[in-house]
Amino acid sequence: AKTWEITELAREAALAGGLYATHMRGEGDTIENSMFEALAIARSAGCPLQISHFKMTSPKRHGQTTKTVAL
């Protein structure tokens, strides 16, 4: 889905007291971009965010989750 479509769905969930739960688009080399998208959606929709299966899948990035947790 496009980001704007997900945002609209998350906005509807927020109106009903729900949250935006995501399994991000990327968990490897693109994890920061995926996190920025998820955070932007939640902020724009005005709802809490839950990132499912939060992990770093790129072997060359192992040990760098402190950077993504900080986001």
Side-chain angles (χ1 to χ4, degrees):
K2 304 284 187 203
T3 301
W4 69 266
E5 294 173 307
I6 299 169
T7 302
E8 289 301 315
L9 292 170
R11 188 170 286 120
E12 290 299 317
L15 291 172
L19 57 83
Y20 168 46
T22 184
H23 191 293
M24 296 184 303
R25 297 182 194 268
E27 297 172 331
D29 293 333
T30 62
I31 191 167
E32 286 91 354
N33 290 339
S34 296
M35 290 187 69
F36 292 144
E37 179 188 44
L39 290 164
I41 290 168
R43 284 185 186 121
S44 179
C47 66
L49 170 64
Q50 174 190 325
I51 297 175
S52 301
H53 310 291
F54 183 84
K55 62 188 173 295
M56 182 80 66
T57 60
S58 174
K60 67 182 180 183
R61 304 264 333 256
H62 284 179
Q64 295 182 16
T65 53
T66 55
K67 293 177 183 178
T68 53
V69 168
L71 294 175

